Structures are given as C-alpha cells and as structure tokens.
Amino acid sequence: MSNISILLSVSAAEASAIRVGIIAAIKAGYSHVVVESDNQGVINRINSKTFSAWESSSVERDISLISSRFTCISFLAISRSCNRVADWIVKTIRKGGCPDEWTRVLPPDLRKLL
C-alpha cells in the first residue's frame, strides 16, 4: 500500500482508514477483530458485500478480501463521539498522510488515543 494523496470522499477516507487498521491487525497477529466506524454507509456496504458507492467501492472490496484472513471479524457502526481513533485516521488520510509505516509503527498521536 502506498501513500494516499487524494481522496474523493468521506466514504473513501473512512474505508481507507478501515483497510489500514485491518492490515495492522493482521501484521500484529490478531485473529479476532472488531472494527468500529461512524460511517454507517461504509459499514453497511462491507457487511452486505454490496459495493455500490463508486468513490469507495474498490477499497471496500479490498477490505472484504483482506477480512477473509481473520478467524472472526465484525464491522460495527458507532457514533462519531465514540470513535476518536477512526476520526483521527480519516482526518489524517484526507490531509494526504497514510504512510506504509502505520502498519508497523503507529504515530505517537494515534497511539495516545488507543
């Protein structure tokens, strides 16, 4: 995965953040994961495998494929106030920041939220 410099929508940014998170979980050796997001549309499309949003469909398909590597993975929609980590990641990605290193070493600002 390379740096993401331009994203077209909030859905694409949220889906990209989810993809970064589950790749990090795989590399950390997790087999059971719960993914929480405040973007109901992205969560609904991932859960139903109905990738109809053109701006995020390719990333959502990637998430579906990558998810098969887990023994158990759940995608849940939660309110934004309960999802500070995803909110931080989405804002950072939208600013053009999503280096490959995130899957190996979390940025200090993100680590504080965990």
Side-chain angles (χ1 to χ4, degrees):
M1 192 164 72
S2 62
N3 272 350
I4 299 170
S5 58
I6 299 174
L7 292 172
L8 301 175
S9 71
V10 171
S11 290
E14 187 72 22
S16 295
I18 291 170
R19 181 173 56 187
V20 167
I22 63 174
I23 289 170
I26 288 169
K27 290 185 177 185
Y30 293 105
S31 60
H32 294 71
V33 176
V34 175
V35 177
E36 298 175 336
S37 170
D38 58 14
N39 190 309
Q40 182 77 46
V42 170
I43 294 298
N44 288 345
R45 289 188 297 275
I46 292 169
N47 283 331
S48 68
K49 298 185 185 327
T50 306
F51 310 114
S52 57
W54 66 269
E55 72 275 10
S56 58
S57 64
S58 63
V59 179
E60 292 165 4
R61 284 185 214 293
D62 282 352
I63 292 166
S64 182
L65 291 171
I66 295 166
S67 295
S68 67
R69 297 180 64 187
F70 292 96
T71 302
C72 180
I73 187 165
S74 300
F75 296 92
L76 305 175
I78 63 171
S79 71
R80 180 172 293 246
S81 63
C82 296
N83 202 6
R84 296 180 312 153
V85 171
D87 189 49
W88 185 91
I89 292 170
V90 169
K91 286 178 182 174
T92 302
I93 288 172
R94 291 194 81 187
K95 292 177 187 173
C98 184
D100 290 336
E101 302 87 57
W102 281 22
T103 59
R104 293 187 300 277
V105 180
L106 293 176
D109 291 344
L110 178 57
R111 201 172 313 132
K112 289 178 195 175
L113 297 173
L114 297 172

